[in-house]
């Protein structure tokens, strides 16, 4: 693995800052993640903590753009196919909560497609039919966590609610609450000791569950800070 210097990290983060300033949040996020991986591999914990702040801002803005777009809760009326982006039906931004017959593999493929193709798309998965009274919101990438919520109102199900739809704001609130609950469950499942590399690794894995969970990024910052300053942990 190539050794990464402080100058390398600074160059990456300067590029990320430029992308963030021009509101290219997805490009800035990719640069931050590259810098974060380099800092982790070199055990540069102060740099790791520093990188988390702009990364969190990129993801906050991405979530805002997605949540301001069309919302879809439930996909019972759709049939999974070979095209992972088909459920988005041509939309480049928005939030979609997949239900049966879609699976974790479908959700992960759509999520990865959105990242690779510069789409402001947020994806969640419920392991239930859209008409179920209780929805089991589950992670579709490790670690495996879940949260149970009452199903959304029937008038919001299985259709895209665009910006003019009367129920769009309520649907967006449901989606964001589901994401928040899933992130909280992921944090609660981390029981590795504070001040250890394992805790940082476990918290970082939680980012695969909900990319833009505010408290998760803060807990990860705490873990990096504890490793950078062990006497104050």
């Amino acid at each position: 693995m190539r050794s990464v210097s402080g100058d390398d990290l600074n160059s990456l983060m300067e590029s990320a800052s430029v992308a963030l300033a021009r509101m290219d949040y997805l490009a800035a996020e990719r640069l931050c993640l590259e810098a974060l991986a380099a800092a982790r591999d070199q055990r540069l914990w102060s740099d790791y903590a520093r990188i988390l702040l702009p990364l969190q801002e990129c993801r906050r803005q991405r979530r805002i753009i997605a949540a301001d777009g069309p919302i879809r809760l439930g996909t019972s009326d759709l049939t999974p196919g070979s095209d992972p982006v088909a459920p988005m039906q041509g939309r480049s931004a928005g939030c979609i909560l997949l239900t049966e017959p879609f699976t974790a593999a479908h959700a992960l493929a759509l999520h990865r497609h959105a990242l690779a193709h510069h789409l402001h798309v947020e994806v969640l998965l419920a392991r239930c039919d859209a008409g179920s009274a209780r929805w089991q919101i589950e992670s579709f990438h490790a670690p495996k966590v879940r949260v149970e919520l009452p199903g959304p109102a029937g008038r919001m199900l299985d259709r895209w609610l665009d910006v003019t739809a009367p129920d769009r704001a309520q649907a967006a609130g449901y989606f964001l609450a589901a994401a928040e609950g899933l992130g909280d469950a992921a944090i609660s499942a981390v029981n590795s000791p504070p001040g250890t590399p394992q805790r940082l690794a476990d918290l970082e894995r939680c980012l695969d569950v909900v990319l833009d969970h505010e408290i998760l990024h803060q807990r990860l910052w705490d873990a990096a800070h504890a490793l950078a300053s062990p006497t104050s942990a």
Side-chain angles (χ1 to χ4, degrees), residues 32-229:
C32 287
L33 288 173
E34 185 179 348
L36 198 71
R40 181 190 62 236
D41 292 341
Q42 295 297 310
R43 303 175 70 85
L44 301 172
W45 304 125
S46 292
D47 289 313
Y48 187 103
R50 173 173 61 93
I51 295 162
L52 284 169
L53 297 178
L55 175 62
Q56 183 177 356
E57 180 60 22
C58 295
R59 289 177 159 176
R60 179 187 296 117
Q61 295 298 329
R62 182 160 61 94
R63 180 188 62 211
I64 290 171
I65 292 171
D68 281 346
I71 311 294
R72 185 180 180 113
L73 304 178
T75 49
S76 295
D77 62 325
L78 302 180
T79 301
S82 59
D83 181 5
V85 79
M88 289 301 299
Q89 299 175 330
R91 293 168 174 83
S92 61
C95 299
I96 182 167
L97 203 168
L98 300 172
T99 54
E100 294 177 354
F102 288 82
T103 67
H106 297 117
L108 183 57
L110 177 54
H111 167 73
R112 287 176 171 169
H113 182 96
L115 292 180
H117 290 80
H118 219 63
L119 307 177
H120 291 87
V121 170
E122 298 278 313
V123 183
L124 291 177
L125 174 69
R127 297 301 298 272
C128 62
D129 183 85
S132 299
R134 305 289 297 180
W135 281 28
Q136 296 284 343
I137 315 297
E138 293 189 358
S139 58
F140 52 80
H141 202 14
K144 294 298 183 183
V145 293
R146 68 179 61 180
V147 63
E148 182 177 296
L149 297 173
R155 64 182 182 276
M156 295 188 287
L157 297 179
D158 285 342
R159 64 191 183 99
W160 280 105
L161 299 169
D162 293 317
V163 292
T164 58
D167 299 313
R168 197 209 67 85
Q170 186 178 351
Y174 186 94
F175 186 96
L176 294 174
E180 192 74 9
L182 203 60
D184 291 345
I187 294 172
S188 296
V190 174
N191 54 20
S192 41
T196 64
Q198 187 60 49
R199 183 170 183 83
L200 182 138
D202 290 344
L203 287 167
E204 189 177 279
R205 288 178 69 241
C206 291
L207 292 177
D208 289 331
V209 175
V210 181
L211 291 183
D212 50 23
H213 194 273
E214 298 271 350
I215 295 176
L216 176 53
H217 285 78
Q218 294 165 17
R219 294 292 178 268
L220 195 53
W221 187 94
D222 292 339
H225 182 70
L227 290 171
S229 308

